[in-house]
Structure formats: structure tokens, C-alpha cells
Amino acid sequence: MKVYTTLMLLFLFSFTPSIAAAESIIVVANTADKSIELNRQQVRNLFMGGIMPYDLKAIALPPENHTRVLFNTKIVGLTESRIQSYWAQMRFTGRKKAPKEVEDEMSVLAYLLSHEGAVGYLLAGTPIPDGLSVIFTVQ
């Protein structure tokens, strides 16, 4: 029984890196300057309407999308309800507009390819077409 338990634990831990990779988020951009790299705070500012050193436009996935939930948790650090409340307040006061939302991950790639300066987020491991670059990765 002890050997069986040990083998099961080894088996489960052997899949940990692939599970972690599936939960990683990449931030992808269509920019003329392929050397742009952002830090976590800059990415958060970009998607929450803060000041940015570059002329970039954020796009987001719908609230129920799993990738968006991971992005909000790992980068923004707020729940979806808090983010929705923030954007409602910004719209009401006329100060900022929420990022444009697209349907799914394939729509993110299509939008990025056709709009220079656009930035979106995807799960790590998503094939990135030529012309786009990864500007931030979070595990």
C-alpha cells in the first residue's frame, strides 16, 4: 500500500509543470516596435485605463471566459464584480472607457492582427502568428 501511494504521488507530481503552463497567461501585442516589454503594473494600468508610456489599446475577453478570470486574478488582482463596478463608475463619470471585448481567443488573435497598437491576453502555449509579439508573461 505504501509503494502504491508513493507511485501515485510521483505520477501526480510529474504532471504539475504542464498544469502550471496551462494556467500561465501571455500578453500579446501588434506593435511596430517588437522590443516593447511591459511589467505587471504596466499591463494592469493598460487594462484598467491607467497611464501608459506607449500608445496601446487593450482588448479583453468576455467576463465568463476562463482566460479572463485567470488574467484578472494574476495581473489585475481584482474579482470580476470589482472590475465591473470600477468600469461602471468610470463610464458614469465619463473619465475612461473599458477595453473593447471580443468573443474568444481566436477573435483576440484576429483583432490583434488587423489593429496595430492592439494588446490582448491569451493562455500560454497559444500559437502566436508572425507580426505579433509577446510583451509580458505571468506564471
Side-chain angles (χ1 to χ4, degrees):
M1 185 66 175
K2 197 175 200 181
V3 172
Y4 177 74
T5 305
T6 304
L7 287 174
M8 285 302 293
L9 287 173
L10 286 173
F11 179 74
L12 289 173
F13 286 123
S14 68
F15 289 105
T16 303
S18 61
I19 292 169
E23 299 294 307
S24 297
I25 298 289
I26 55 174
V27 179
V28 182
N30 178 353
T31 61
D33 181 0
K34 301 300 181 198
S35 67
I36 293 176
E37 289 186 14
L38 301 180
N39 61 37
R40 181 184 176 278
Q41 188 62 43
Q42 289 172 319
V43 172
R44 184 183 192 283
N45 285 347
L46 174 63
F47 283 86
M48 296 301 290
I51 297 172
M52 284 295 302
Y54 306 103
D55 186 26
L56 301 172
K57 300 282 187 233
I59 61 166
L61 290 165
E64 64 278 357
N65 185 289
H66 177 69
T67 304
R68 178 170 169 152
V69 172
L70 287 173
F71 178 82
N72 289 344
T73 302
K74 293 179 180 244
I75 295 177
V76 178
L78 297 172
T79 63
E80 185 62 38
S81 61
R82 296 280 311 268
I83 291 170
Q84 293 298 324
S85 174
Y86 169 80
W87 285 118
Q89 185 178 31
M90 292 300 110
R91 274 192 309 274
F92 180 74
T93 60
R95 291 190 282 184
K96 300 175 189 174
K97 291 174 109 176
K100 175 181 176 52
E101 286 184 13
V102 295
E103 293 178 20
D104 55 25
E105 285 81 354
M106 293 305 294
S107 299
V108 169
L109 289 172
Y111 188 90
L112 292 176
L113 284 169
S114 63
H115 294 85
E116 188 169 335
V119 179
Y121 50 85
L122 301 163
L123 286 176
T126 303
I128 305 301
D130 291 339
L132 302 180
S133 57
V134 176
I135 60 172
F136 183 74
T137 303
V138 65
Q139 299 300 326

